[in-house]
Amino acid sequence: MMDQIKNQHVREKFNSYPAPIREKMLALRQLVLEVADAPLEETLKWGEPSYLCPQGSTVRMDAKAKQPGQYALYFNCKSKLVDTFRELYADRFHFDGNRAIIFQLNDTPDKVALKHCIFLSLNYHKLKHLPLLGA
């Protein structure tokens, strides 16, 4: 799967994660790629693997050394995204304020709900005027 990452800097970032976290992060990346219904730009923003879509809001992911065994999907904190996710999926995910969905290494995230969150983010500019982003 690493050979599918065309951006060298992104590939190096994924390689920098400990193997168990890297596996989880690559699974998140795969979900983002599956959900995207428009071309994505895969790059680093703030040193984190990031996915940009013209009609959407950037989706970032990372695992921080100061929180071992934890990784996260990050969203624009000035958007309604995480508040909407919390409204829809408070029983399925853990959140960090209005900016992230947090996962523990031993979590098995609800892929259907997670794909929905990613979809809402990648289509945010088309949906932001709708209640609960059209969910």
Side-chain angles (χ1 to χ4, degrees):
M1 191 183 280
M2 291 293 291
D3 59 337
Q4 296 173 356
I5 301 174
K6 293 178 175 65
N7 183 307
Q8 175 185 344
H9 301 291
V10 174
R11 192 170 47 253
E12 289 170 358
K13 181 64 178 180
F14 275 103
N15 277 326
S16 75
Y17 296 119
I21 290 287
R22 180 173 46 247
E23 180 181 319
K24 297 288 190 167
M25 298 277 292
L26 287 170
L28 285 181
R29 177 186 182 270
Q30 186 59 40
L31 289 179
V32 171
L33 297 177
E34 288 174 13
V35 169
D37 59 357
L40 282 180
E41 178 185 351
E42 184 173 35
T43 189
L44 290 182
K45 277 185 130 182
W46 299 288
E48 301 167 344
S50 302
Y51 302 86
L52 293 70
C53 188
Q55 74 270 12
S57 181
T58 299
V59 175
R60 296 178 292 117
M61 60 183 69
D62 201 15
K64 309 291 185 193
K66 61 185 174 186
Q67 288 132 348
Q70 182 175 298
Y71 60 106
L73 272 179
Y74 295 95
F75 304 90
N76 184 329
C77 64
K78 294 183 173 134
S79 72
K80 299 185 276 184
L81 288 163
V82 175
D83 288 338
T84 300
F85 304 159
R86 187 178 283 110
E87 183 79 20
L88 296 171
Y89 301 116
D91 60 333
R92 297 186 210 171
F93 298 124
H94 298 282
F95 301 93
D96 179 14
N98 61 349
R99 66 186 206 114
I101 300 174
I102 304 295
F103 307 99
Q104 300 302 319
L105 189 57
N106 60 353
D107 287 348
T108 303
D110 178 331
K111 286 184 182 178
V112 172
L114 193 50
K115 282 180 150 183
H116 186 227
C117 294
I118 293 166
F119 173 84
L120 293 175
S121 185
L122 293 179
N123 290 280
Y124 184 69
H125 296 301
K126 297 190 302 188
L127 304 171
K128 64 184 174 184
H129 66 284
L130 301 171
L132 283 179
L133 305 177

